[in-house]
């Protein structure tokens, strides 16, 4: 009997990708018995500006370097191949059309769950994917309330990801490069080498 493949989606700017992202994806893979995790860099998003020195190609190369040793991590250019603003609802529609036998699990930080009602077609997003929310270790009552509110309002399926929380952020890595501080042990060595070899984040 064939069963649906369970696919995790790890979307983000990845500017740059770091061990926090990788650990979260690995945790999701094991905690929810997923078959594969798609690392899907966003197109330069409509709601934020990226630093001048980093191209889409740089972010793509860094993601590919970071995941190359993990057989259940796959790069996905799904959002990069589309023109104009990319919305998660369209990503999920495209993926579902191409692979109707797959179930999708969208991994997001707690902050995104507070903003999800401002996303395009929130209801459809929540119909097409199970949401896996990463907290910061604490299952705070406010996050619990938000999960309950969204689940009830949209009949959504939302689960908490029990990931060890690493206090690593892309923003902090960019700041460290700019000020000459070490970024060792915050991200894979190949990604750090890429950053230095290409002079990223220095201005
Ligand atoms: P982001 O700016 O890269 O990440 C936002 C925050 O979450 C940052 O603190 C980031 O840490 C952290 N983070 C990044 N990727 C994460 C992940 N997969 N799970 C948990 N935490 C994560 O990403 P974003 O712009 O919010 O986008 C995240 C996803 O949501 C993308 O797939 C995007 O397409 C989707 N999204 C869709 C809409 C829409 O459809 N209207 C709107 C917003 C976002 P670092 O800074 O350290 O990376």
């Amino acid at each position: 009997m064939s069963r649906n493949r369970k696919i995790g989606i790890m979307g983000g700017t990845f500017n740059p990708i770091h061990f926090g992202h990788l650990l979260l994806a690995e945790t999701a893979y094991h905690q929810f018995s997923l078959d594969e995790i798609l690392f899907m860099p966003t197109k330069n998003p409509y709601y934020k500006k990226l630093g001048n020195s980093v191209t889409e190609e740089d972010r793509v190369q860094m993601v590919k370097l970071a995941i190359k040793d993990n057989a259940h991590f796959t790069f996905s250019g799904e959002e990069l191949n589309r023109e104009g603003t990319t919305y998660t609802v369209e990503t999920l529609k495209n993926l579902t059309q191409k692979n109707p036998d797959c179930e999708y699990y969208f991994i997001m930080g707690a902050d995104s769950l507070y903003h999800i009602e401002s996303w395009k077609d929130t209801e459809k997003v929540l119909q097409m994917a199970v949401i896996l929310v990463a907290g910061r270790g604490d299952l705070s009552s406010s996050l619990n309330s938000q999960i309950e509110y969204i689940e009830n309002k949209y009949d959504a399926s939302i689960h908490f990801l029990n990931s060890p929380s690493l206090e690593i952020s892309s923003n902090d890595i960019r700041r460290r490069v700019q000020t000459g501080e070490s970024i060792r042990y915050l991200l894979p060595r190949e990604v750090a080498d890429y950053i230095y070899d290409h002079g990223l984040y220095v201005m």
Side-chain angles (χ1 to χ4, degrees):
M1 191 176 79
S2 70
R3 72 176 180 91
N4 289 350
R5 273 174 60 75
K6 296 164 69 175
I7 310 292
I9 300 176
M10 186 75 192
T13 320
F14 300 126
N15 186 31
I17 190 165
H18 54 67
F19 283 135
H21 302 127
L22 296 166
L23 180 62
L24 198 56
E26 185 67 4
T27 303
Y29 176 80
H30 289 287
Q31 193 181 331
F32 294 92
S33 304
L34 305 181
D35 293 292
E36 184 182 9
I37 306 273
L38 303 180
F39 277 77
M40 191 181 288
T42 54
K43 228 177 151 52
N44 285 358
Y46 70 94
Y47 47 91
K48 76 172 77 134
K49 295 223 180 298
L50 298 180
N52 286 340
S53 64
V54 177
T55 63
E56 206 163 271
E57 182 59 16
D58 289 325
R59 294 187 295 117
V60 165
Q61 289 309 324
M62 290 190 282
V63 169
K64 287 183 173 172
L65 286 170
I67 67 174
K68 70 178 168 39
D69 294 332
N70 189 324
H72 49 257
F73 286 177
T74 307
F75 177 83
S76 169
E78 173 65 37
E79 296 204 340
L80 300 174
N81 299 333
R82 297 209 304 266
E83 287 304 316
T85 304
T86 49
Y87 296 105
T88 300
V89 68
E90 277 143 27
T91 302
L92 289 168
K93 269 189 206 160
N94 286 351
L95 290 175
T96 307
Q97 255 166 26
K98 281 187 222 159
N99 311 296
D101 61 329
C102 291
E103 286 171 45
Y104 290 99
Y105 291 71
F106 196 91
I107 302 163
M108 63 171 65
D111 288 356
S112 298
L113 192 66
Y114 289 98
H115 295 127
I116 199 164
E117 290 195 282
S118 66
W119 289 20
K120 189 178 173 203
D121 293 334
T122 308
E123 191 166 359
K124 287 192 185 135
V125 169
L126 295 168
Q127 277 165 5
M128 288 188 284
V130 173
I131 304 295
L132 305 182
V133 195
R136 291 259 167 204
D138 66 321
L139 230 185
S140 67
S141 63
S142 100
L143 178 56
N144 259 334
S145 310
Q146 180 67 6
I147 290 176
E148 209 176 294
Y149 162 71
I150 298 288
E151 277 191 327
N152 290 337
K153 181 164 174 185
Y154 297 97
D155 194 21
S157 177
I158 304 175
H159 300 281
F160 195 74
L161 258 173
N162 291 318
S163 184
S165 81
L166 293 183
E167 297 293 323
I168 302 175
S169 78
S170 300
N171 187 41
D172 181 54
I173 291 171
R174 296 195 299 272
R175 184 196 60 75
R176 282 166 179 263
V177 174
Q178 199 174 27
T179 57
E181 286 173 61
S182 171
I183 56 171
R184 209 170 169 188
Y185 308 126
L186 298 175
L187 71 181
R189 205 189 62 202
E190 291 93 332
V191 178
D193 289 346
Y194 185 99
I195 289 171
Y196 293 125
D197 290 349
H198 292 79
L200 306 186
Y201 310 128
V202 286
M203 45 171 231

